[in-house]
Amino acid sequence: MKVLVTGANGMLGQDLCPILEDAGCYVIQTDYETLDVTDNTAADNFISKTHPDLIIHCAAYTNVDKAESDIEKATLLNAKGTENMALAASKIDVPIIYISTDYVFDGTKNTPYLPDDAPNPKSIYGKTKYEGELAIKKHCKKYYIARTSWLYGIHGKNFVETMLTLAGAPSGGVTSASDELDDGNTTPDASTTLASAGAPGTTPALAGAGNPSTTQASSDTANNKTGTPSAAKEIKVVDDQTGCPTWSVDLCYGILKLLTKPYGTYHLCGADKTSWYGFAKKIFELENLDVNLTPCTTEEFPRPAKRPKYSVMENNNLLRPWQEALACYLKLRKENLE
């Protein structure tokens, strides 16, 4: 099977492409330089010329907070760019997989969101991603919409690496993509975190399909340049937002599973749920790090974009529990450091 992947240089794309190749696929890797999804003619010509058997559309604008003031660009990439890909896929009658986000929901529910629940996005990022979903449904008969959430992986800055850095753990060699164009993943982990002491700094955490998390963090030992973990370091993390952490590698295998399913909308996120505080607590527990972790509220750490308070999604066992995935990620991370 010939598979075209947009956003191949992002967090998700860098994991997805080799996994597809291992599965026997011939992969056409594209980024914004080789395929401008916002240019309808260019996208149509590229798809018609390469004629893939499947398109996996990962590229997106994923800076959740910046999108609030950069509406035009976010709309161009997430809505118009997706529509262009949908039109191109439909023209040659091939399936398309669109990576979407939990941000299409408003977060007011108190039970897991189902794939057919009505979206009601509250942020520009969520609105433009939902517009992308509508474009896929409008133009394509053969489509999969795959919503994911709280994404992390070795190929992009993310919540896990931010927490480990604040705790003084060795760097995992994480690389990052643009803070505006996620070249591999469209779903932000969009986390909001706060480590106490000093003026908070802003560190964009990018998802490469998507994990544009905006993570704000500072610590009482931020000026410690030795990299030595400090006992009892205080780190405050938001505890009133609940969701499903997702490892980018698990998302990749979930995407492969979709190909055995009927066309439609699916949730590809870690099973079970937690808060950002609970997520951080599990990270430190698995890494045996001595950290003074303290919960805080979203109101204590306001951001431009509104985050869904509850974005837990029912994944119908398509992905394993997030705790298991996190343990595997941390184990592989440690092996890479040795």
Side-chain angles (χ1 to χ4, degrees), residues 215-313:
T215 304
Q216 283 203 347
S218 66
S219 76
D220 54 358
T221 56
N223 294 323
N224 179 358
K225 298 180 180 180
T226 65
T228 303
S230 299
K233 172 187 288 188
E234 183 183 33
I235 299 177
K236 289 184 179 179
V237 180
V238 169
D239 194 32
D240 58 1
Q241 295 176 28
T242 306
C244 306
T246 309
W247 183 19
S248 55
V249 169
D250 276 24
L251 176 55
C252 293
Y253 286 110
I255 289 171
L256 289 178
K257 287 183 181 180
L258 289 186
L259 301 179
T260 67
K261 304 288 184 181
Y263 295 124
T265 302
Y266 295 84
H267 291 164
L268 297 184
C269 57
D272 207 352
K273 64 183 179 181
T274 189
S275 67
W276 291 112
Y277 170 78
F279 192 10
K281 185 175 180 180
K282 191 64 176 180
I283 293 167
F284 297 142
E285 173 189 318
L286 291 172
E287 289 294 282
N288 296 312
L289 292 171
D290 181 13
V291 176
N292 180 12
L293 185 64
T294 306
C296 68
T297 66
T298 299
E299 285 67 30
E300 292 178 65
F301 196 24
R303 301 297 304 149
K306 185 175 182 180
R307 268 73 172 161
K309 289 278 187 174
Y310 183 94
S311 62
V312 178
M313 299 189 294

XYZ file of all heavy atoms in Angstrom, residues 215-313:
769
model
N 2.570 24.819 27.706
C 2.923 24.513 29.075
C 3.651 25.674 29.694
O 4.690 26.071 29.206
C 3.847 23.281 29.118
O 3.200 22.218 28.458
C 4.175 22.902 30.530
N 3.116 26.219 30.746
C 3.803 27.281 31.462
C 4.412 26.682 32.705
O 3.742 25.984 33.446
C 2.831 28.399 31.855
C 2.472 29.283 30.692
C 2.003 30.628 31.162
O 1.724 30.823 32.335
N 1.913 31.568 30.254
N 5.667 26.964 32.927
C 6.312 26.377 34.082
C 7.495 27.180 34.538
O 8.220 27.755 33.755
C 6.757 24.965 33.752
N 7.668 27.241 35.841
C 8.870 27.800 36.423
C 9.077 27.099 37.745
O 8.159 26.509 38.285
C 8.730 29.308 36.651
O 7.746 29.561 37.615
N 10.287 27.128 38.261
C 10.523 26.397 39.493
C 11.442 27.163 40.409
O 12.111 28.110 40.018
C 11.148 25.030 39.190
O 12.495 25.200 38.860
N 11.446 26.735 41.675
C 12.267 27.429 42.657
C 13.732 27.108 42.490
O 14.582 27.666 43.165
C 11.810 27.075 44.077
C 11.784 25.577 44.317
O 12.076 24.829 43.362
O 11.484 25.170 45.445
N 14.052 26.204 41.564
C 15.453 25.876 41.317
C 15.776 26.067 39.847
O 16.630 25.397 39.288
C 15.754 24.414 41.726
O 14.864 23.563 41.026
C 15.586 24.229 43.214
N 15.047 26.981 39.220
C 15.218 27.180 37.777
C 16.616 27.611 37.407
O 17.084 27.381 36.298
C 14.225 28.233 37.281
N 17.320 28.224 38.337
C 18.666 28.701 38.035
C 19.745 27.677 38.364
O 20.931 27.953 38.257
C 18.939 29.994 38.814
C 18.050 31.130 38.341
O 17.778 31.238 37.153
N 17.581 31.962 39.263
N 19.329 26.508 38.767
C 20.279 25.444 39.040
C 20.774 24.881 37.721
O 20.049 24.205 37.010
C 19.580 24.341 39.862
C 20.517 23.190 40.172
O 21.677 23.191 39.755
N 20.015 22.223 40.918
N 21.990 25.161 37.368
C 22.517 24.756 36.056
C 23.241 23.409 36.101
O 23.787 22.965 35.114
C 23.464 25.834 35.524
C 22.768 27.174 35.308
C 23.723 28.226 34.786
C 23.010 29.554 34.573
N 23.925 30.600 34.062
N 23.226 22.782 37.240
C 23.940 21.510 37.351
C 23.125 20.345 36.823
O 23.652 19.294 36.505
C 24.283 21.222 38.827
O 23.056 21.046 39.553
C 25.067 22.370 39.421
N 21.791 20.559 36.755
C 20.941 19.466 36.291
C 20.698 18.443 37.373
O 20.116 17.404 37.153
N 21.150 18.710 38.588
C 20.981 17.780 39.696
C 19.583 17.894 40.276
O 19.129 18.993 40.586
C 21.995 18.074 40.823
O 23.295 18.010 40.266
C 21.849 17.057 41.942
N 18.850 16.785 40.413
C 17.524 16.837 40.984
C 17.562 17.427 42.391
O 18.458 17.131 43.170
C 17.077 15.369 41.006
C 17.911 14.720 39.959
C 19.227 15.435 40.010
N 16.574 18.241 42.720
C 16.512 18.851 44.047
C 15.374 18.228 44.834
O 14.232 18.227 44.388
C 16.278 20.359 43.922
O 17.321 20.963 43.215
N 15.670 17.678 45.997
C 14.661 17.097 46.839
C 13.691 18.191 47.267
O 14.066 19.327 47.509
C 15.301 16.443 48.060
N 12.400 17.804 47.341
C 11.365 18.707 47.823
C 11.155 19.920 46.917
O 10.602 20.922 47.346
C 11.674 19.159 49.242
N 11.596 19.869 45.680
C 11.281 20.958 44.749
C 9.771 21.031 44.602
O 9.105 20.020 44.445
C 11.914 20.685 43.387
C 11.454 21.677 42.312
C 11.944 21.292 40.934
C 13.420 21.516 40.805
N 13.869 21.310 39.406
N 9.226 22.231 44.650
C 7.782 22.373 44.526
C 7.378 22.607 43.077
O 7.903 23.484 42.400
C 7.265 23.534 45.378
C 5.741 23.646 45.319
C 5.206 24.834 46.087
O 5.925 25.861 46.123
O 4.105 24.749 46.646
N 6.457 21.801 42.613
C 5.908 21.946 41.271
C 4.391 21.926 41.382
O 3.820 20.975 41.909
C 6.383 20.806 40.344
C 7.911 20.818 40.204
C 5.735 20.930 38.969
C 8.455 19.679 39.372
N 3.761 22.982 40.901
C 2.307 23.054 40.916
C 1.762 22.693 39.539
O 2.253 23.182 38.532
C 1.840 24.463 41.298
C 2.080 24.831 42.750
C 1.493 26.207 43.046
C 1.704 26.580 44.502
N 1.148 27.929 44.798
N 0.734 21.850 39.549
C 0.145 21.405 38.282
C -1.379 21.450 38.386
O -1.951 21.085 39.413
C 0.618 19.976 37.921
C -0.009 19.527 36.609
C 2.128 19.914 37.831
N -2.004 21.871 37.304
C -3.457 21.983 37.250
C -4.133 20.636 37.516
O -3.763 19.618 36.927
C -3.882 22.528 35.866
C -5.393 22.413 35.684
C -3.440 23.979 35.711
N -5.135 20.662 38.407
C -5.789 19.416 38.811
C -7.280 19.397 38.478
O -7.977 18.461 38.848
C -5.598 19.206 40.319
C -5.945 17.795 40.773
O -5.741 16.853 39.986
O -6.434 17.638 41.913
N -7.776 20.430 37.799
C -9.206 20.465 37.500
C -9.511 20.349 36.008
O -10.567 20.751 35.538
C -9.858 21.728 38.077
C -9.228 23.016 37.572
O -8.284 22.936 36.756
O -9.667 24.100 37.993
N -8.556 19.801 35.261
C -8.792 19.442 33.865
C -8.542 17.937 33.750
O -7.492 17.448 34.172
C -7.852 20.199 32.927
C -8.061 21.700 32.897
C -7.029 22.401 32.028
O -6.502 21.827 31.078
N -6.722 23.648 32.367
N -9.501 17.225 33.191
C -9.422 15.766 33.127
C -9.455 15.288 31.680
O -10.257 15.766 30.881
C -10.597 15.128 33.896
O -10.625 15.640 35.230
C -10.458 13.616 33.942
N -8.555 14.370 31.361
C -8.487 13.875 29.996
C -7.763 12.545 29.902
O -7.560 11.850 30.909
N -7.328 12.221 28.695
C -6.716 10.919 28.418
C -5.334 11.094 27.790
O -5.228 11.385 26.588
C -7.588 10.108 27.475
S -9.298 9.904 28.004
N -4.255 10.919 28.551
C -2.909 10.996 27.972
C -2.725 9.936 26.889
O -3.213 8.802 27.013
C -2.001 10.719 29.175
C -2.823 11.103 30.373
C -4.222 10.710 30.004
N -2.009 10.298 25.829
C -1.821 9.385 24.700
C -0.383 9.426 24.214
O 0.140 10.497 23.887
C -2.748 9.775 23.528
O -4.089 9.916 24.007
C -2.707 8.717 22.431
N 0.263 8.277 24.154
C 1.621 8.176 23.620
C 1.519 8.130 22.100
O 0.708 7.392 21.540
C 2.295 6.914 24.156
C 3.720 6.727 23.730
C 4.583 7.661 23.254
C 4.454 5.495 23.756
N 5.813 7.111 22.983
C 5.764 5.778 23.281
C 4.148 4.194 24.138
C 6.744 4.804 23.169
C 5.117 3.222 24.038
C 6.411 3.521 23.562
N 2.347 8.898 21.430
C 2.295 8.981 19.969
C 2.460 7.621 19.300
O 1.845 7.346 18.260
C 3.354 9.958 19.454
O 4.645 9.607 19.925
N 3.277 6.739 19.871
C 3.462 5.398 19.292
C 2.169 4.592 19.373
O 1.788 3.895 18.420
C 4.618 4.655 19.998
C 4.634 3.180 19.599
C 5.951 5.303 19.653
N 1.473 4.682 20.502
C 0.189 3.991 20.623
C -0.810 4.529 19.608
O -1.595 3.780 19.027
C -0.365 4.162 22.039
C 0.207 3.144 23.014
O 1.309 2.627 22.744
O -0.429 2.869 24.043
N -0.780 5.842 19.400
C -1.662 6.451 18.408
C -1.378 5.885 17.013
O -2.306 5.614 16.235
C -1.494 7.967 18.416
C -2.280 8.756 17.354
C -3.769 8.446 17.421
C -2.036 10.256 17.528
N -0.119 5.684 16.699
C 0.255 5.120 15.396
C -0.364 3.738 15.184
O -0.928 3.450 14.119
C 1.770 5.013 15.276
S 2.636 6.592 15.221
N -0.256 2.892 16.192
C -0.827 1.554 16.057
C -2.355 1.601 16.046
O -3.012 0.762 15.416
C -0.313 0.649 17.172
C 1.130 0.243 16.952
C 2.151 0.731 17.769
C 1.480 -0.611 15.909
C 3.479 0.384 17.541
C 2.793 -0.970 15.678
C 3.794 -0.472 16.497
O 5.108 -0.815 16.263
N -2.913 2.609 16.721
C -4.350 2.799 16.656
C -4.794 3.175 15.257
O -5.843 2.727 14.773
N -3.997 3.985 14.580
C -4.296 4.372 13.199
C -4.320 3.139 12.299
O -5.189 2.992 11.434
C -3.267 5.406 12.701
C -3.500 6.752 13.409
C -3.336 5.568 11.190
C -2.425 7.782 13.150
N -3.365 2.231 12.504
C -3.345 0.997 11.710
C -4.610 0.166 11.967
O -5.157 -0.451 11.044
C -2.101 0.176 12.043
C -0.761 0.730 11.548
C 0.384 -0.172 11.996
C -0.755 0.858 10.021
N -5.080 0.162 13.203
C -6.293 -0.591 13.534
C -7.508 -0.050 12.794
O -8.431 -0.800 12.459
C -6.552 -0.543 15.044
C -5.623 -1.389 15.890
C -6.027 -1.301 17.362
C -5.098 -2.121 18.241
N -5.485 -2.027 19.685
N -7.514 1.261 12.556
C -8.659 1.863 11.870
C -8.892 1.240 10.498
O -10.030 1.161 10.035
C -8.448 3.369 11.701
C -8.516 4.245 12.945
C -8.432 5.714 12.560
C -9.799 3.975 13.742
N -7.817 0.819 9.866
C -7.930 0.278 8.509
C -8.724 -1.022 8.460
O -9.113 -1.472 7.380
C -6.539 0.076 7.911
C -5.678 1.349 7.813
C -4.311 1.028 7.236
C -6.386 2.414 6.979
N -8.978 -1.625 9.614
C -9.805 -2.835 9.684
C -11.234 -2.499 10.102
O -12.069 -3.399 10.219
C -9.217 -3.847 10.683
O -9.312 -3.317 12.020
C -7.758 -4.131 10.371
N -11.516 -1.208 10.315
C -12.817 -0.772 10.810
C -13.636 -0.109 9.699
O -13.091 0.348 8.691
C -12.635 0.236 11.949
C -11.787 -0.237 13.113
C -12.518 -1.266 13.946
C -11.684 -1.669 15.167
N -12.389 -2.690 15.988
N -14.941 -0.028 9.898
C -15.782 0.725 8.946
C -15.392 2.208 8.965
O -14.888 2.716 9.970
C -17.202 0.529 9.497
C -17.125 -0.688 10.361
C -15.748 -0.683 10.944
N -15.620 2.889 7.877
C -15.333 4.319 7.837
C -16.166 5.042 8.896
O -17.273 4.619 9.227
C -15.649 4.889 6.453
C -14.774 4.347 5.349
C -15.333 3.730 4.227
C -13.389 4.443 5.430
C -14.535 3.223 3.207
C -12.581 3.941 4.417
C -13.157 3.330 3.317
O -12.365 2.829 2.314
N -15.612 6.141 9.426
C -16.348 6.906 10.423
C -15.431 7.634 11.376
O -14.240 7.825 11.115
N -15.980 8.042 12.512
C -15.251 8.810 13.525
C -14.893 7.923 14.709
O -15.746 7.173 15.209
C -16.107 10.002 14.009
O -16.430 10.827 12.889
C -15.349 10.823 15.043
N -13.641 8.022 15.148
C -13.152 7.192 16.245
C -12.349 8.038 17.235
O -11.854 9.108 16.888
C -12.254 6.068 15.703
C -12.989 5.075 14.840
C -13.195 5.323 13.478
C -13.492 3.890 15.376
C -13.883 4.428 12.677
C -14.178 2.975 14.577
C -14.373 3.242 13.226
O -15.052 2.349 12.445
N -12.241 7.530 18.455
C -11.408 8.167 19.466
C -10.178 7.300 19.712
O -10.291 6.158 20.162
C -12.186 8.358 20.768
C -13.276 9.391 20.654
N -14.304 9.503 21.565
C -13.475 10.356 19.720
C -15.091 10.504 21.210
N -14.610 11.036 20.085
N -9.012 7.845 19.380
C -7.747 7.134 19.580
C -6.964 7.851 20.663
O -6.138 8.725 20.413
C -6.937 7.096 18.276
C -7.565 6.347 17.107
C -6.601 6.320 15.924
C -7.951 4.921 17.504
N -7.254 7.495 21.890
C -6.586 8.106 23.045
C -6.328 7.012 24.072
O -6.890 5.922 23.985
C -7.465 9.205 23.651
S -9.110 8.622 24.154
N -5.476 7.310 25.030
C -5.207 6.344 26.076
C -6.473 6.005 26.843
O -7.303 6.883 27.103
N -6.644 4.741 27.175
C -7.809 4.350 27.963
C -7.644 4.842 29.402
O -6.534 5.028 29.887
C -7.966 2.832 27.932
N -8.771 5.038 30.071
C -8.809 5.546 31.441
C -8.639 7.072 31.411
O -8.542 7.672 30.340
C -7.756 4.885 32.322
C -8.156 4.873 33.801
O -9.161 5.507 34.147
O -7.453 4.233 34.596
N -8.596 7.694 32.555
C -8.557 9.154 32.614
C -7.705 9.614 33.796
O -7.417 8.851 34.715
C -9.975 9.708 32.780
C -10.634 9.291 34.092
C -12.057 9.784 34.209
C -12.676 9.306 35.522
N -14.085 9.763 35.663
N -7.315 10.873 33.759
C -6.583 11.476 34.865
C -6.603 12.987 34.673
O -7.062 13.489 33.642
C -5.128 10.961 34.923
O -4.515 11.407 36.141
C -4.308 11.467 33.746
N -6.114 13.695 35.674
C -5.922 15.142 35.551
C -4.462 15.386 35.208
O -3.628 14.474 35.254
C -6.272 15.841 36.870
O -5.335 15.480 37.879
N -4.120 16.642 34.864
C -2.704 16.947 34.613
C -1.886 16.667 35.879
O -0.766 16.164 35.800
C -2.544 18.396 34.187
C -3.106 18.686 32.828
C -4.182 19.449 32.510
C -2.613 18.174 31.578
N -4.397 19.434 31.159
C -3.454 18.668 30.559
C -1.556 17.345 31.229
C -3.257 18.369 29.211
C -1.358 17.034 29.880
C -2.195 17.541 28.895
N -2.468 16.962 37.025
C -1.790 16.686 38.296
C -1.586 15.178 38.464
O -0.489 14.723 38.828
C -2.623 17.241 39.450
C -2.142 16.812 40.818
C -1.039 17.418 41.421
C -2.805 15.794 41.512
C -0.602 17.020 42.680
C -2.377 15.387 42.766
C -1.272 16.004 43.354
O -0.840 15.598 44.591
N -2.621 14.396 38.182
C -2.502 12.943 38.291
C -1.498 12.381 37.305
O -0.769 11.432 37.612
N -1.452 12.980 36.116
C -0.487 12.583 35.088
C 0.931 12.834 35.594
O 1.805 11.959 35.512
C -0.782 13.389 33.833
C -0.083 12.935 32.580
C 0.623 11.745 32.505
C -0.146 13.729 31.427
C 1.253 11.336 31.335
C 0.481 13.339 30.250
C 1.173 12.142 30.211
N 1.167 14.032 36.141
C 2.488 14.376 36.660
C 2.875 13.457 37.816
O 4.014 12.996 37.911
C 2.504 15.837 37.116
N 1.926 13.184 38.688
C 2.189 12.318 39.843
C 2.647 10.935 39.394
O 3.583 10.358 39.960
C 0.920 12.207 40.698
C 1.106 11.440 41.992
C -0.171 11.475 42.827
C 0.011 10.714 44.129
N -1.243 10.745 44.936
N 2.011 10.411 38.343
C 2.378 9.086 37.843
C 3.762 9.117 37.206
O 4.550 8.160 37.358
C 1.339 8.616 36.817
C 1.482 7.157 36.423
C 1.219 6.244 37.626
C 1.264 4.776 37.244
N 1.017 3.891 38.406
N 4.080 10.188 36.505
C 5.406 10.324 35.889
C 6.486 10.258 36.961
O 7.463 9.505 36.846
C 5.508 11.659 35.117
C 4.570 11.659 33.908
C 6.954 11.910 34.674
C 4.376 13.026 33.291
N 6.322 11.052 38.010
C 7.325 11.098 39.076
C 7.393 9.774 39.838
O 8.466 9.338 40.252
C 7.021 12.250 40.027
C 7.088 13.613 39.371
C 6.185 14.604 39.710
C 8.050 13.889 38.411
C 6.246 15.853 39.104
C 8.121 15.128 37.800
C 7.215 16.117 38.142
N 6.256 9.128 40.003
C 6.220 7.832 40.687
C 7.010 6.789 39.906
O 7.825 6.050 40.468
C 4.770 7.388 40.842
C 4.594 5.983 41.398
C 3.159 5.514 41.318
O 2.245 6.310 41.618
O 2.927 4.336 40.939
N 6.775 6.720 38.600
C 7.460 5.732 37.769
C 8.955 6.007 37.655
O 9.755 5.087 37.494
C 6.833 5.704 36.370
C 5.412 5.134 36.285
C 4.832 5.350 34.890
C 5.412 3.651 36.629
N 9.344 7.289 37.762
C 10.749 7.663 37.665
C 11.425 7.745 39.024
O 12.613 8.065 39.114
C 10.881 9.003 36.943
C 10.572 8.952 35.462
C 11.588 8.115 34.696
O 12.706 8.607 34.426
O 11.269 6.943 34.378
N 10.683 7.457 40.090
C 11.225 7.518 41.456
C 11.886 8.865 41.755
O 12.989 8.930 42.310
C 12.234 6.382 41.681
C 11.596 5.009 41.598
O 10.550 4.767 42.207
N 12.205 4.124 40.817
N 11.195 9.936 41.384
C 11.718 11.284 41.601
C 11.083 11.910 42.842
O 9.874 11.810 43.056
C 11.443 12.159 40.383
C 12.215 11.786 39.120
C 11.698 12.568 37.922
C 13.711 12.053 39.322
N 11.919 12.549 43.653
C 11.469 13.199 44.877
C 11.037 14.621 44.537
O 11.873 15.520 44.385
C 12.610 13.214 45.903
C 12.193 13.869 47.214
O 10.977 14.077 47.412
O 13.084 14.195 48.032
N 9.735 14.811 44.392
C 9.205 16.116 43.996
C 8.050 16.495 44.908
O 7.209 15.661 45.247
C 8.699 16.072 42.529
C 8.051 17.401 42.148
C 9.842 15.769 41.577
N 8.022 17.748 45.305
C 6.913 18.263 46.095
C 5.837 18.757 45.132
O 5.823 19.910 44.713
C 7.392 19.407 46.999
C 6.265 19.980 47.843
O 5.177 19.399 47.920
N 6.511 21.114 48.462
N 4.959 17.840 44.734
C 3.947 18.131 43.722
C 2.675 18.648 44.385
O 2.145 18.023 45.305
C 3.638 16.855 42.927
C 2.684 16.983 41.750
C 3.283 17.885 40.672
C 2.374 15.599 41.170
N 2.218 19.790 43.900
C 1.054 20.440 44.496
C 0.003 20.733 43.434
O 0.332 21.275 42.378
C 1.458 21.766 45.165
O 2.522 21.512 46.097
C 0.278 22.393 45.888
N -1.262 20.393 43.697
C -2.316 20.692 42.720
C -2.723 22.161 42.754
O -2.618 22.822 43.787
C -3.471 19.795 43.177
C -3.268 19.653 44.655
C -1.772 19.626 44.857
N -3.154 22.676 41.623
C -3.687 24.033 41.574
C -4.858 24.066 40.591
O -5.139 23.078 39.912
C -2.608 25.036 41.179
S -2.015 24.901 39.478
N -5.546 25.188 40.505
C -6.706 25.312 39.633
C -6.356 26.017 38.328
O -5.348 26.721 38.245
C -7.827 26.104 40.319
O -7.390 27.459 40.515
C -8.185 25.486 41.666
N -7.215 25.844 37.346
C -7.031 26.539 36.080
C -7.072 28.047 36.285
O -6.332 28.794 35.637
C -8.139 26.126 35.084
O -8.055 24.713 34.851
C -8.008 26.864 33.763
N -7.918 28.500 37.202
C -8.052 29.928 37.468
C -6.761 30.537 37.999
O -6.501 31.733 37.815
C -9.186 30.170 38.469
C -10.577 30.014 37.899
C -10.893 28.569 37.505
O -10.345 27.636 38.137
O -11.680 28.378 36.546
N -5.940 29.732 38.653
C -4.658 30.233 39.159
C -3.657 30.455 38.041
O -2.635 31.103 38.238
C -4.066 29.233 40.166
C -4.837 29.100 41.463
C -4.215 28.069 42.378
O -3.072 28.293 42.832
O -4.856 27.022 42.631
N -3.962 29.921 36.877
C -3.009 29.990 35.778
C -3.743 30.230 34.461
O -3.809 29.363 33.606
C -2.237 28.679 35.729
C -0.981 28.758 34.914
C -0.329 29.956 34.691
C -0.449 27.613 34.348
C 0.824 30.017 33.930
C 0.711 27.652 33.587
C 1.341 28.868 33.374
N -4.337 31.392 34.276
C -5.153 31.675 33.085
C -4.342 31.682 31.802
O -3.180 32.094 31.780
C -5.728 33.068 33.383
C -4.727 33.688 34.306
C -4.223 32.564 35.161
N -4.957 31.191 30.724
C -4.333 31.176 29.413
C -5.302 31.792 28.400
O -6.509 31.843 28.643
C -4.002 29.739 28.982
C -3.066 28.996 29.914
C -1.708 29.648 29.987
N -1.112 29.774 28.661
C -0.297 30.745 28.304
N 0.013 31.703 29.162
N 0.219 30.775 27.097
N -4.822 32.264 27.251
C -5.700 32.867 26.249
C -6.805 31.935 25.745
O -7.944 32.363 25.554
C -4.726 33.229 25.112
C -3.413 33.424 25.794
C -3.392 32.391 26.887
N -6.481 30.670 25.506
C -7.467 29.716 24.983
C -8.141 28.953 26.116
O -7.485 28.513 27.066
C -6.794 28.739 24.029
N -9.434 28.781 25.993
C -10.188 28.038 26.992
C -9.967 26.539 26.809
O -10.134 26.005 25.724
C -11.677 28.359 26.885
C -12.510 27.724 27.978
C -13.959 28.179 27.904
C -14.780 27.569 29.031
N -16.197 28.012 28.966
N -9.574 25.873 27.894
C -9.376 24.421 27.854
C -10.634 23.698 28.313
O -11.314 24.166 29.228
C -8.236 24.015 28.804
C -6.860 23.957 28.179
C -6.279 25.301 27.901
N -4.878 25.161 27.474
C -4.215 26.087 26.822
N -4.786 27.233 26.534
N -2.961 25.887 26.464
N -10.975 22.570 27.702
C -12.113 21.796 28.209
C -11.784 21.223 29.583
O -10.722 20.624 29.765
C -12.301 20.697 27.169
C -11.098 20.709 26.293
C -10.375 21.987 26.513
N -12.681 21.423 30.539
C -12.447 20.898 31.891
C -12.450 19.377 31.882
O -11.714 18.731 32.629
C -13.533 21.403 32.840
C -13.455 22.877 33.177
C -12.439 23.127 34.278
C -12.487 24.573 34.739
N -11.609 24.809 35.907
N -13.306 18.808 31.067
C -13.444 17.350 30.994
C -13.448 16.949 29.520
O -14.389 17.243 28.791
C -14.756 16.927 31.671
C -14.985 15.435 31.729
C -14.607 14.705 32.854
C -15.603 14.758 30.681
C -14.837 13.331 32.931
C -15.828 13.387 30.745
C -15.456 12.683 31.865
O -15.680 11.322 31.938
N -12.365 16.322 29.087
C -12.300 15.907 27.682
C -11.975 14.417 27.569
O -11.289 13.976 26.654
C -11.263 16.736 26.925
O -9.968 16.553 27.454
N -12.484 13.655 28.529
C -12.300 12.202 28.509
C -13.105 11.634 27.340
O -14.277 11.951 27.159
C -12.768 11.567 29.824
C -12.618 10.043 29.773
C -11.982 12.144 30.993
N -12.463 10.781 26.532
C -13.132 10.190 25.371
C -13.156 8.670 25.486
O -12.174 8.056 25.898
C -12.421 10.615 24.075
C -12.420 12.113 23.839
S -11.805 12.603 22.187
C -10.072 12.106 22.292
